[in-house]
PDB file of all heavy atoms in Angstrom:
ATOM      1  N   ASN A  24      13.707   4.485   3.080  1.00  0.00           N
ATOM      2  CA  ASN A  24      12.308   4.377   2.910  1.00  0.00           C
ATOM      3  C   ASN A  24      11.533   5.212   3.923  1.00  0.00           C
ATOM      4  O   ASN A  24      12.003   5.522   4.965  1.00  0.00           O
ATOM      5  CB  ASN A  24      11.853   2.936   2.977  1.00  0.00           C
ATOM      6  CG  ASN A  24      11.166   2.531   1.858  1.00  0.00           C
ATOM      7  OD1 ASN A  24      10.269   3.401   1.313  1.00  0.00           O
ATOM      8  ND2 ASN A  24      11.261   1.257   1.357  1.00  0.00           N
ATOM      9  N   ALA A  25      10.297   5.539   3.530  1.00  0.00           N
ATOM     10  CA  ALA A  25       9.395   6.255   4.389  1.00  0.00           C
ATOM     11  C   ALA A  25       8.823   5.303   5.518  1.00  0.00           C
ATOM     12  O   ALA A  25       8.077   4.440   5.174  1.00  0.00           O
ATOM     13  CB  ALA A  25       8.219   6.859   3.574  1.00  0.00           C
ATOM     14  N   MET A  26       9.300   5.596   6.747  1.00  0.00           N
ATOM     15  CA  MET A  26       8.916   4.742   7.855  1.00  0.00           C
ATOM     16  C   MET A  26       8.164   5.537   8.903  1.00  0.00           C
ATOM     17  O   MET A  26       8.759   6.291   9.655  1.00  0.00           O
ATOM     18  CB  MET A  26      10.168   4.115   8.522  1.00  0.00           C
ATOM     19  CG  MET A  26      10.979   3.153   7.575  1.00  0.00           C
ATOM     20  SD  MET A  26      10.026   1.752   7.089  1.00  0.00           S
ATOM     21  CE  MET A  26      10.137   0.888   8.599  1.00  0.00           C
ATOM     22  N   GLU A  27       6.829   5.292   9.062  1.00  0.00           N
ATOM     23  CA  GLU A  27       6.016   6.051  10.061  1.00  0.00           C
ATOM     24  C   GLU A  27       6.490   5.618  11.406  1.00  0.00           C
ATOM     25  O   GLU A  27       6.588   4.536  11.678  1.00  0.00           O
ATOM     26  CB  GLU A  27       4.624   5.718   9.782  1.00  0.00           C
ATOM     27  CG  GLU A  27       3.982   6.353   8.579  1.00  0.00           C
ATOM     28  CD  GLU A  27       2.536   6.030   8.433  1.00  0.00           C
ATOM     29  OE1 GLU A  27       1.708   6.777   9.014  1.00  0.00           O
ATOM     30  OE2 GLU A  27       2.157   4.927   7.743  1.00  0.00           O
ATOM     31  N   CYS A  28       6.556   6.620  12.223  1.00  0.00           N
ATOM     32  CA  CYS A  28       7.053   6.361  13.642  1.00  0.00           C
ATOM     33  C   CYS A  28       6.071   6.992  14.621  1.00  0.00           C
ATOM     34  O   CYS A  28       6.331   6.938  15.932  1.00  0.00           O
ATOM     35  CB  CYS A  28       8.447   6.642  13.843  1.00  0.00           C
ATOM     36  SG  CYS A  28       9.602   5.573  13.087  1.00  0.00           S
ATOM     37  N   ASN A  29       4.966   7.649  14.168  1.00  0.00           N
ATOM     38  CA  ASN A  29       3.919   8.004  15.128  1.00  0.00           C
ATOM     39  C   ASN A  29       4.365   8.914  16.312  1.00  0.00           C
ATOM     40  O   ASN A  29       3.965   8.609  17.407  1.00  0.00           O
ATOM     41  CB  ASN A  29       3.141   6.828  15.548  1.00  0.00           C
ATOM     42  CG  ASN A  29       1.852   7.034  16.275  1.00  0.00           C
ATOM     43  OD1 ASN A  29       1.109   7.967  15.797  1.00  0.00           O
ATOM     44  ND2 ASN A  29       1.519   6.420  17.365  1.00  0.00           N
ATOM     45  N   ASP A  30       5.214   9.911  16.060  1.00  0.00           N
ATOM     46  CA  ASP A  30       5.663  10.700  17.215  1.00  0.00           C
ATOM     47  C   ASP A  30       5.621  12.198  16.924  1.00  0.00           C
ATOM     48  O   ASP A  30       6.366  12.951  17.517  1.00  0.00           O
ATOM     49  CB  ASP A  30       7.144  10.320  17.528  1.00  0.00           C
ATOM     50  CG  ASP A  30       8.164  10.341  16.347  1.00  0.00           C
ATOM     51  OD1 ASP A  30       7.872  11.115  15.455  1.00  0.00           O
ATOM     52  OD2 ASP A  30       9.179   9.712  16.561  1.00  0.00           O
ATOM     53  N   ARG A  44      15.454  11.234  15.110  1.00  0.00           N
ATOM     54  CA  ARG A  44      15.398  10.104  14.170  1.00  0.00           C
ATOM     55  C   ARG A  44      15.953  10.649  12.845  1.00  0.00           C
ATOM     56  O   ARG A  44      16.941   9.947  12.260  1.00  0.00           O
ATOM     57  CB  ARG A  44      14.108   9.642  13.847  1.00  0.00           C
ATOM     58  CG  ARG A  44      13.546   8.748  14.971  1.00  0.00           C
ATOM     59  CD  ARG A  44      12.223   7.921  14.562  1.00  0.00           C
ATOM     60  NE  ARG A  44      11.032   8.890  14.438  1.00  0.00           N
ATOM     61  CZ  ARG A  44      10.521   9.195  13.173  1.00  0.00           C
ATOM     62  NH1 ARG A  44      11.047   8.589  12.014  1.00  0.00           N
ATOM     63  NH2 ARG A  44       9.519   9.851  13.084  1.00  0.00           N
ATOM     64  N   TYR A  45      15.553  11.725  12.354  1.00  0.00           N
ATOM     65  CA  TYR A  45      15.894  12.288  11.089  1.00  0.00           C
ATOM     66  C   TYR A  45      17.337  12.842  11.078  1.00  0.00           C
ATOM     67  O   TYR A  45      18.111  12.777  10.130  1.00  0.00           O
ATOM     68  CB  TYR A  45      14.892  13.178  10.411  1.00  0.00           C
ATOM     69  CG  TYR A  45      13.747  12.408   9.851  1.00  0.00           C
ATOM     70  CD1 TYR A  45      12.642  12.312  10.683  1.00  0.00           C
ATOM     71  CD2 TYR A  45      13.761  11.920   8.725  1.00  0.00           C
ATOM     72  CE1 TYR A  45      11.512  11.499  10.302  1.00  0.00           C
ATOM     73  CE2 TYR A  45      12.725  11.099   8.177  1.00  0.00           C
ATOM     74  CZ  TYR A  45      11.600  10.983   9.032  1.00  0.00           C
ATOM     75  OH  TYR A  45      10.560  10.231   8.494  1.00  0.00           O
ATOM     76  N   LEU A  58      10.731  11.275   3.775  1.00  0.00           N
ATOM     77  CA  LEU A  58      10.086  11.621   5.051  1.00  0.00           C
ATOM     78  C   LEU A  58       8.837  10.764   5.165  1.00  0.00           C
ATOM     79  O   LEU A  58       8.051  10.577   4.105  1.00  0.00           O
ATOM     80  CB  LEU A  58       9.555  13.055   5.018  1.00  0.00           C
ATOM     81  CG  LEU A  58       8.738  13.524   6.266  1.00  0.00           C
ATOM     82  CD1 LEU A  58       9.527  13.576   7.464  1.00  0.00           C
ATOM     83  CD2 LEU A  58       8.164  14.910   5.998  1.00  0.00           C
ATOM     84  N   GLU A  59       8.588  10.141   6.249  1.00  0.00           N
ATOM     85  CA  GLU A  59       7.559   9.197   6.421  1.00  0.00           C
ATOM     86  C   GLU A  59       6.163   9.777   6.021  1.00  0.00           C
ATOM     87  O   GLU A  59       6.041  11.049   5.870  1.00  0.00           O
ATOM     88  CB  GLU A  59       7.419   8.877   7.964  1.00  0.00           C
ATOM     89  CG  GLU A  59       7.092  10.030   8.860  1.00  0.00           C
ATOM     90  CD  GLU A  59       7.432   9.802  10.252  1.00  0.00           C
ATOM     91  OE1 GLU A  59       8.651   9.991  10.583  1.00  0.00           O
ATOM     92  OE2 GLU A  59       6.582   9.486  11.029  1.00  0.00           O
ATOM     93  N   ALA A  60       5.251   8.973   5.691  1.00  0.00           N
ATOM     94  CA  ALA A  60       3.916   9.363   5.167  1.00  0.00           C
ATOM     95  C   ALA A  60       3.361  10.550   6.023  1.00  0.00           C
ATOM     96  O   ALA A  60       3.020  10.412   7.123  1.00  0.00           O
ATOM     97  CB  ALA A  60       2.967   8.191   5.231  1.00  0.00           C
ATOM     98  N   ILE A  61       3.179  11.667   5.411  1.00  0.00           N
ATOM     99  CA  ILE A  61       2.788  12.835   6.022  1.00  0.00           C
ATOM    100  C   ILE A  61       1.409  13.269   5.384  1.00  0.00           C
ATOM    101  O   ILE A  61       1.247  13.233   4.205  1.00  0.00           O
ATOM    102  CB  ILE A  61       3.799  14.023   5.875  1.00  0.00           C
ATOM    103  CG1 ILE A  61       3.337  15.311   6.644  1.00  0.00           C
ATOM    104  CG2 ILE A  61       4.131  14.327   4.424  1.00  0.00           C
ATOM    105  CD1 ILE A  61       4.374  16.379   6.753  1.00  0.00           C
ATOM    106  N   ALA A  69      -4.189   7.702   9.573  1.00  0.00           N
ATOM    107  CA  ALA A  69      -3.980   6.375  10.157  1.00  0.00           C
ATOM    108  C   ALA A  69      -3.413   6.362  11.436  1.00  0.00           C
ATOM    109  O   ALA A  69      -3.630   5.343  12.339  1.00  0.00           O
ATOM    110  CB  ALA A  69      -3.159   5.439   9.135  1.00  0.00           C
ATOM    111  N   ARG A  70      -2.640   7.275  11.821  1.00  0.00           N
ATOM    112  CA  ARG A  70      -1.811   7.334  13.107  1.00  0.00           C
ATOM    113  C   ARG A  70      -2.330   8.485  13.934  1.00  0.00           C
ATOM    114  O   ARG A  70      -2.490   9.539  13.396  1.00  0.00           O
ATOM    115  CB  ARG A  70      -0.448   7.444  12.822  1.00  0.00           C
ATOM    116  CG  ARG A  70       0.239   6.591  11.777  1.00  0.00           C
ATOM    117  CD  ARG A  70       0.156   5.207  12.025  1.00  0.00           C
ATOM    118  NE  ARG A  70       0.424   4.409  10.744  1.00  0.00           N
ATOM    119  CZ  ARG A  70      -0.087   3.385  10.431  1.00  0.00           C
ATOM    120  NH1 ARG A  70      -1.000   2.716  11.261  1.00  0.00           N
ATOM    121  NH2 ARG A  70       0.090   2.756   9.261  1.00  0.00           N
ATOM    122  N   HIS A  72      -0.582  10.164  16.124  1.00  0.00           N
ATOM    123  CA  HIS A  72       0.434  11.134  16.095  1.00  0.00           C
ATOM    124  C   HIS A  72       1.125  11.110  14.729  1.00  0.00           C
ATOM    125  O   HIS A  72       2.363  11.132  14.779  1.00  0.00           O
ATOM    126  CB  HIS A  72       1.427  10.969  17.260  1.00  0.00           C
ATOM    127  CG  HIS A  72       0.657  11.022  18.661  1.00  0.00           C
ATOM    128  ND1 HIS A  72       0.241  12.217  19.144  1.00  0.00           N
ATOM    129  CD2 HIS A  72       0.518  10.079  19.569  1.00  0.00           C
ATOM    130  CE1 HIS A  72      -0.192  12.039  20.331  1.00  0.00           C
ATOM    131  NE2 HIS A  72      -0.160  10.620  20.591  1.00  0.00           N
ATOM    132  N   GLN A  73       0.380  11.326  13.764  1.00  0.00           N
ATOM    133  CA  GLN A  73       0.951  11.335  12.417  1.00  0.00           C
ATOM    134  C   GLN A  73       1.390  12.830  11.996  1.00  0.00           C
ATOM    135  O   GLN A  73       0.752  13.813  12.368  1.00  0.00           O
ATOM    136  CB  GLN A  73      -0.108  10.845  11.308  1.00  0.00           C
ATOM    137  CG  GLN A  73       0.399  10.667   9.909  1.00  0.00           C
ATOM    138  CD  GLN A  73      -0.476   9.779   9.124  1.00  0.00           C
ATOM    139  OE1 GLN A  73      -1.574   9.395   9.518  1.00  0.00           O
ATOM    140  NE2 GLN A  73      -0.068   9.497   7.931  1.00  0.00           N
ATOM    141  N   LEU A  74       2.449  12.840  11.163  1.00  0.00           N
ATOM    142  CA  LEU A  74       2.865  14.163  10.707  1.00  0.00           C
ATOM    143  C   LEU A  74       1.895  14.716   9.754  1.00  0.00           C
ATOM    144  O   LEU A  74       1.247  13.964   8.996  1.00  0.00           O
ATOM    145  CB  LEU A  74       4.236  14.107   9.996  1.00  0.00           C
ATOM    146  CG  LEU A  74       5.529  13.804  10.927  1.00  0.00           C
ATOM    147  CD1 LEU A  74       6.677  13.564   9.949  1.00  0.00           C
ATOM    148  CD2 LEU A  74       5.721  15.076  11.761  1.00  0.00           C
ATOM    149  N   GLN A 103       6.822  12.037   1.564  1.00  0.00           N
ATOM    150  CA  GLN A 103       5.749  11.114   1.094  1.00  0.00           C
ATOM    151  C   GLN A 103       4.386  11.702   1.536  1.00  0.00           C
ATOM    152  O   GLN A 103       4.049  11.646   2.705  1.00  0.00           O
ATOM    153  CB  GLN A 103       5.981   9.727   1.547  1.00  0.00           C
ATOM    154  CG  GLN A 103       4.956   8.775   0.940  1.00  0.00           C
ATOM    155  CD  GLN A 103       5.094   7.266   1.484  1.00  0.00           C
ATOM    156  OE1 GLN A 103       4.655   7.071   2.591  1.00  0.00           O
ATOM    157  NE2 GLN A 103       5.844   6.415   0.652  1.00  0.00           N
ATOM    158  N   THR A 105       0.297  11.585   1.647  1.00  0.00           N
ATOM    159  CA  THR A 105      -0.610  10.426   1.778  1.00  0.00           C
ATOM    160  C   THR A 105      -1.963  10.913   2.317  1.00  0.00           C
ATOM    161  O   THR A 105      -2.058  12.023   3.004  1.00  0.00           O
ATOM    162  CB  THR A 105      -0.070   9.362   2.665  1.00  0.00           C
ATOM    163  OG1 THR A 105      -0.959   8.133   2.463  1.00  0.00           O
ATOM    164  CG2 THR A 105      -0.192   9.752   4.103  1.00  0.00           C
ATOM    165  N   SER A 107      -5.227   8.690   4.038  1.00  0.00           N
ATOM    166  CA  SER A 107      -5.297   7.186   4.414  1.00  0.00           C
ATOM    167  C   SER A 107      -6.619   6.534   3.862  1.00  0.00           C
ATOM    168  O   SER A 107      -6.803   5.362   3.888  1.00  0.00           O
ATOM    169  CB  SER A 107      -5.239   7.102   5.958  1.00  0.00           C
ATOM    170  OG  SER A 107      -3.969   7.423   6.405  1.00  0.00           O
ATOM    171  N   LYS A 162       1.822   9.359  -2.730  1.00  0.00           N
ATOM    172  CA  LYS A 162       1.755   7.925  -2.353  1.00  0.00           C
ATOM    173  C   LYS A 162       0.665   7.206  -3.097  1.00  0.00           C
ATOM    174  O   LYS A 162      -0.477   7.507  -2.922  1.00  0.00           O
ATOM    175  CB  LYS A 162       1.605   7.749  -0.781  1.00  0.00           C
ATOM    176  CG  LYS A 162       1.726   6.457  -0.289  1.00  0.00           C
ATOM    177  CD  LYS A 162       1.677   6.435   1.208  1.00  0.00           C
ATOM    178  CE  LYS A 162       2.011   4.956   1.777  1.00  0.00           C
ATOM    179  NZ  LYS A 162       2.097   4.926   3.253  1.00  0.00           N
ATOM    180  N   TYR A 167      -3.378   2.724   0.743  1.00  0.00           N
ATOM    181  CA  TYR A 167      -3.905   4.032   1.127  1.00  0.00           C
ATOM    182  C   TYR A 167      -4.690   4.547   0.011  1.00  0.00           C
ATOM    183  O   TYR A 167      -4.869   3.956  -1.068  1.00  0.00           O
ATOM    184  CB  TYR A 167      -2.689   4.773   1.545  1.00  0.00           C
ATOM    185  CG  TYR A 167      -2.090   4.336   2.771  1.00  0.00           C
ATOM    186  CD1 TYR A 167      -1.032   3.421   2.882  1.00  0.00           C
ATOM    187  CD2 TYR A 167      -2.543   4.753   4.062  1.00  0.00           C
ATOM    188  CE1 TYR A 167      -0.557   2.837   4.081  1.00  0.00           C
ATOM    189  CE2 TYR A 167      -1.947   4.308   5.304  1.00  0.00           C
ATOM    190  CZ  TYR A 167      -1.016   3.353   5.164  1.00  0.00           C
ATOM    191  OH  TYR A 167      -0.443   2.801   6.358  1.00  0.00           O
ATOM    192  N   LEU A 347      15.704   1.790  10.806  1.00  0.00           N
ATOM    193  CA  LEU A 347      15.454   1.963  12.147  1.00  0.00           C
ATOM    194  C   LEU A 347      16.487   1.260  13.127  1.00  0.00           C
ATOM    195  O   LEU A 347      16.836   1.833  14.186  1.00  0.00           O
ATOM    196  CB  LEU A 347      14.103   1.444  12.538  1.00  0.00           C
ATOM    197  CG  LEU A 347      12.892   2.022  11.876  1.00  0.00           C
ATOM    198  CD1 LEU A 347      11.581   1.349  12.337  1.00  0.00           C
ATOM    199  CD2 LEU A 347      12.758   3.428  12.166  1.00  0.00           C
ATOM    200  N   CYS A 373       8.884  -3.363  15.728  1.00  0.00           N
ATOM    201  CA  CYS A 373       8.701  -1.942  15.403  1.00  0.00           C
ATOM    202  C   CYS A 373       7.336  -1.736  14.823  1.00  0.00           C
ATOM    203  O   CYS A 373       6.619  -0.814  15.080  1.00  0.00           O
ATOM    204  CB  CYS A 373       9.780  -1.461  14.430  1.00  0.00           C
ATOM    205  SG  CYS A 373       9.887  -2.362  12.880  1.00  0.00           S
ATOM    206  N   MET A 374       6.836  -2.799  13.935  1.00  0.00           N
ATOM    207  CA  MET A 374       5.557  -2.786  13.396  1.00  0.00           C
ATOM    208  C   MET A 374       4.427  -2.840  14.401  1.00  0.00           C
ATOM    209  O   MET A 374       3.412  -2.394  14.335  1.00  0.00           O
ATOM    210  CB  MET A 374       5.398  -3.874  12.297  1.00  0.00           C
ATOM    211  CG  MET A 374       6.443  -3.727  11.102  1.00  0.00           C
ATOM    212  SD  MET A 374       6.296  -2.156  10.328  1.00  0.00           S
ATOM    213  CE  MET A 374       4.635  -2.272   9.682  1.00  0.00           C
ATOM    214  N   LEU A 377       3.798   0.347  15.948  1.00  0.00           N
ATOM    215  CA  LEU A 377       3.082   1.235  15.048  1.00  0.00           C
ATOM    216  C   LEU A 377       1.483   0.771  15.041  1.00  0.00           C
ATOM    217  O   LEU A 377       0.607   1.692  15.185  1.00  0.00           O
ATOM    218  CB  LEU A 377       3.590   1.124  13.625  1.00  0.00           C
ATOM    219  CG  LEU A 377       3.006   2.105  12.542  1.00  0.00           C
ATOM    220  CD1 LEU A 377       3.216   3.547  12.861  1.00  0.00           C
ATOM    221  CD2 LEU A 377       3.423   1.847  11.132  1.00  0.00           C
ATOM    222  N   GLU A 381       1.720   3.566  19.091  1.00  0.00           N
ATOM    223  CA  GLU A 381       2.737   3.980  20.045  1.00  0.00           C
ATOM    224  C   GLU A 381       3.922   4.618  19.244  1.00  0.00           C
ATOM    225  O   GLU A 381       4.020   4.458  18.080  1.00  0.00           O
ATOM    226  CB  GLU A 381       3.280   2.744  20.776  1.00  0.00           C
ATOM    227  CG  GLU A 381       2.213   2.129  21.754  1.00  0.00           C
ATOM    228  CD  GLU A 381       1.910   2.920  22.958  1.00  0.00           C
ATOM    229  OE1 GLU A 381       2.670   3.877  23.303  1.00  0.00           O
ATOM    230  OE2 GLU A 381       0.807   2.575  23.508  1.00  0.00           O
ATOM    231  N   ASN A 382       4.661   5.427  19.944  1.00  0.00           N
ATOM    232  CA  ASN A 382       5.986   5.942  19.261  1.00  0.00           C
ATOM    233  C   ASN A 382       6.730   4.693  18.813  1.00  0.00           C
ATOM    234  O   ASN A 382       6.837   3.706  19.505  1.00  0.00           O
ATOM    235  CB  ASN A 382       6.818   6.670  20.327  1.00  0.00           C
ATOM    236  CG  ASN A 382       6.184   7.988  20.781  1.00  0.00           C
ATOM    237  OD1 ASN A 382       6.721   8.674  21.671  1.00  0.00           O
ATOM    238  ND2 ASN A 382       5.187   8.510  20.094  1.00  0.00           N
ATOM    239  N   THR A 383       7.267   4.810  17.651  1.00  0.00           N
ATOM    240  CA  THR A 383       7.854   3.574  16.982  1.00  0.00           C
ATOM    241  C   THR A 383       9.344   3.809  16.704  1.00  0.00           C
ATOM    242  O   THR A 383       9.769   4.928  16.293  1.00  0.00           O
ATOM    243  CB  THR A 383       7.118   3.342  15.673  1.00  0.00           C
ATOM    244  OG1 THR A 383       5.761   3.134  15.951  1.00  0.00           O
ATOM    245  CG2 THR A 383       7.704   2.159  14.965  1.00  0.00           C
ATOM    246  N   GLY A 384      10.115   2.721  17.062  1.00  0.00           N
ATOM    247  CA  GLY A 384      11.533   2.710  16.755  1.00  0.00           C
ATOM    248  C   GLY A 384      12.065   1.294  17.003  1.00  0.00           C
ATOM    249  O   GLY A 384      11.233   0.285  17.050  1.00  0.00           O
ATOM    250  N   THR A 411      -1.004  -3.554   9.898  1.00  0.00           N
ATOM    251  CA  THR A 411      -1.077  -2.125  10.197  1.00  0.00           C
ATOM    252  C   THR A 411      -2.425  -1.509   9.922  1.00  0.00           C
ATOM    253  O   THR A 411      -2.707  -0.429  10.484  1.00  0.00           O
ATOM    254  CB  THR A 411      -0.052  -1.329   9.410  1.00  0.00           C
ATOM    255  OG1 THR A 411      -0.346  -1.500   7.987  1.00  0.00           O
ATOM    256  CG2 THR A 411       1.413  -1.882   9.651  1.00  0.00           C
TER     257      THR A 411
END
Side-chain angles (χ1 to χ4, degrees):
N24 228 325
M26 297 294 290
E27 289 182 84
C28 286
N29 193 39
D30 55 20
R44 286 192 294 112
Y45 284 92
L58 179 67
E59 63 201 80
I61 183 168
R70 316 293 168 219
H72 297 293
Q73 187 163 5
L74 288 172
Q103 187 181 80
T105 193
S107 296
K162 189 173 187 177
Y167 293 88
L347 297 180
C373 55
M374 300 304 298
L377 187 65
E381 298 287 342
N382 291 170
T383 300
T411 61

